[in-house]
Amino acid sequence: MLSKLPGVATTIFTVMSRLAEDHQAINLSQGFPDYDCDPLLVEAVSDAMRSGANQYAPMTGLPVLRELIAEKTKRLYGAHYHPEKEVTITAGGTQAIFTALSSCIGPGDEVIIFEPAYDSYAPAVRLLGGLVKPYELTPPDYQIDWDMVKKLFSVNTKMIILNSPQNPTGCILSKEDAAQLIRLTMGTDILILSDEVYEHLIYDGQQHHSMALYPELRERSFIVASFGKLLHTTGWKLGYCLAPEQLMREFRKVHQFNVFSVNTPMQAGIAAYLKDPSVYAGLSGFFQQKRDLFRAMLAETRFKLLPCQGSYFQCVSYGHLNELKDKEMATILVKEHGVASIPVSAFYTKGTDHQVLRFCFAKKQETLEKAVERLMKF
Ligand code: PMP
Ligand code: GLN
């Protein structure tokens, strides 16, 4: 059979997590916490199950949860999203991304992606017949030159995918980036898919520049969020999408046929839990403390630290130490040193290798300490 995705192999997250397991390594590759979520949240979901919330949820999600999300977005970004018409609960950020793309990308449409980029974007665009226009960012600071972005525009440019805080680089969009984005897209039909799953994981008192903050951008944006990051529950695969009514109408046409609706008791439990927003108020402080600890320890190794302003990923470069490709380096680290990471070339369409590795620091202090103890020996 002719492959619809020739050249695409198993995702790097699965590959590295499996290698970590095979070699009983400390797994700092795939991004997920190694500690549990709040027991009150588990209780809230269990209560929902016990009280019979076990059949299909409404196609767009439980109203109580959509209302809470609309309130949260209004409070944080001053944007009004109508809970009935402009908020949809999804099976994680991944489905929201896929559904948003499916609702508007067709053969020949060009999509600008900033690389290194989360690995689901490009294959999803290609599956739909779209063309990926990668803009390669480079370490150490992975800054965007918006005049270069403009050079990628053509009459077929349909969408720009943004991700801030960014996986894998930990970089964030600034107010100036948002202003440039407005300048470049005003008066065009270009849509934005804004992957904001790490919106709360932002450090040093910086502000998250959500597309929701800017009316000129909001009106053309699908915004994607994930409860996996907000609640330390990546395995629950629940998230949501925000979009203005006209875009959301198209989103839901696809959503109703690719999943219809998502996990009812978890939606009910999350809604009950999130009634008190203080449950996630300390999230950035919680992760900042982990980032600071991890960076301070890594500074004692021979790796070079790259900046980390957000997300739960810390990148390091090692080009000053050897000539190894990042995939080779990651393999050596997991097999011989017992620490799994992600080679960042996996996030470039062309496999560009800057000899950078990504570590996830959403881990217990003792896990991070043990991992760095091993990395010290490299
Ligand atoms: N976008 C980015 C940037 C991610 O890192 C992830 C990983 N979780 C996702 C989307 C997908 O989120 P979810 O697990 O909720 O599908
Ligand atoms: N978002 C996580 C990461 O970047 C994992 C996602 C996945 O396993 N698909 O590591």
Side-chain angles (χ1 to χ4, degrees):
M1 195 193 78
L2 206 60
S3 171
K4 293 194 74 179
L5 287 174
V8 168
T10 303
T11 152
I12 192 71
F13 305 120
T14 300
V15 170
M16 292 312 300
S17 275
R18 197 181 294 151
L19 263 183
E21 217 168 283
D22 291 350
H23 295 276
Q24 285 160 18
I26 298 171
N27 190 359
L28 304 190
S29 64
Q30 197 177 16
F32 62 88
D34 71 343
Y35 46 84
D36 212 352
C37 64
D38 187 343
L40 290 176
L41 175 59
V42 176
E43 212 38 59
V45 172
S46 308
D47 284 349
M49 282 187 196
R50 279 192 288 264
S51 67
N54 297 308
Q55 309 308 331
Y56 292 128
M59 184 269 276
T60 57
L62 288 186
V64 58
L65 185 55
R66 281 187 276 112
E67 277 157 25
L68 275 168
I69 291 166
E71 270 168 36
K72 167 178 178 277
T73 311
K74 175 95 188 138
R75 185 164 33 83
L76 294 178
Y77 309 118
H80 176 72
Y81 282 89
H82 196 296
E84 268 293 304
K85 299 177 185 153
E86 299 180 317
V87 182
T88 300
I89 314 298
T90 60
T94 310
Q95 184 236 315
I97 291 163
F98 199 87
T99 301
L101 289 169
S102 307
S103 69
C104 58
I105 300 302
D109 288 337
E110 294 179 4
V111 179
I112 296 173
I113 296 181
F114 296 95
E115 294 185 342
Y118 186 57
D119 71 343
S120 84
Y121 308 153
V125 170
R126 286 210 197 90
L127 263 180
L128 298 161
L131 298 172
V132 174
K133 293 277 155 182
Y135 172 5
E136 294 201 1
L137 302 168
T138 49
D141 55 5
Y142 299 98
Q143 284 310 293
I144 299 172
D145 176 343
W146 290 96
D147 291 329
M148 296 298 288
V149 178
K150 181 123 200 259
K151 291 198 175 134
L152 293 175
F153 281 22
S154 82
V155 287
N156 296 320
T157 305
K158 183 81 183 202
M159 181 179 259
I160 300 176
I161 303 184
L162 295 166
N163 173 214
S164 179
Q166 216 247 9
N167 178 6
T169 64
C171 292
I172 58 174
L173 288 178
S174 65
K175 195 173 178 187
E176 173 59 17
D177 288 318
Q180 293 284 355
L181 189 59
I182 292 171
R183 180 177 67 85
L184 255 56
T185 56
M186 278 294 269
T188 72
D189 293 330
I190 298 174
L191 298 171
I192 294 168
L193 173 56
S194 185
D195 181 343
E196 303 186 12
V197 300
Y198 299 105
E199 66 183 313
H200 298 283
L201 280 60
I202 193 153
Y203 311 127
D204 307 318
Q206 303 223 52
Q207 190 192 0
H208 169 54
H209 288 277
S210 172
M211 294 301 111
L213 277 172
Y214 304 95
E216 307 91 324
L217 298 174
R218 189 194 309 155
E219 67 187 17
R220 60 174 79 236
S221 295
F222 294 96
I223 297 178
V224 170
S226 169
F227 289 116
K229 323 294 172 190
L230 185 74
L231 305 170
H232 314 283
T233 53
T234 62
W236 290 10
K237 294 298 295 184
L238 276 181
Y240 59 91
C241 182
L242 304 172
E245 186 176 351
Q246 203 191 345
L247 293 182
M248 188 51 87
R249 201 178 303 128
E250 297 306 311
F251 181 97
R252 288 175 175 179
K253 285 183 192 173
V254 179
H255 174 82
Q256 65 186 338
F257 296 125
N258 72 353
V259 14
F260 179 69
S261 67
V262 300
N263 196 310
T264 308
M266 283 182 181
Q267 289 190 60
I270 289 173
Y273 183 73
L274 287 182
K275 276 208 183 90
D276 173 9
S278 73
V279 292
Y280 59 87
L283 207 55
S284 73
F286 174 81
F287 280 115
Q288 183 168 322
Q289 193 254 337
K290 291 199 181 292
R291 179 204 63 166
D292 291 346
L293 172 83
F294 191 47
R295 284 179 68 86
M297 292 191 300
L298 275 179
E300 303 296 316
T301 69
R302 295 200 298 151
F303 295 98
K304 266 195 196 141
L305 285 164
L306 300 188
C308 169
Q309 302 163 288
S311 82
Y312 45 45
F313 303 113
Q314 173 64 54
C315 288
V316 300
S317 65
Y318 62 88
H320 56 293
L321 298 178
N322 61 47
E323 303 273 290
L324 292 171
K325 293 198 167 67
D326 64 358
K327 287 188 175 153
E328 294 166 346
M329 182 68 173
T331 306
I332 290 173
L333 281 187
V334 71
K335 288 189 177 168
E336 297 173 18
H337 297 268
V339 181
S341 60
I342 297 281
V344 169
S345 64
F347 297 115
Y348 287 94
T349 313
K350 296 182 183 130
T352 310
D353 187 349
H354 293 286
Q355 297 184 292
V356 172
L357 299 175
R358 187 199 82 174
F359 294 107
C360 172
F361 57 78
K363 307 290 171 188
K364 294 179 205 142
Q365 178 163 338
E366 69 208 59
T367 309
L368 297 174
E369 281 168 357
K370 220 184 278 173
V372 178
E373 208 175 283
R374 294 180 182 189
L375 293 173
M376 293 285 265
K377 300 197 180 118
F378 183 83

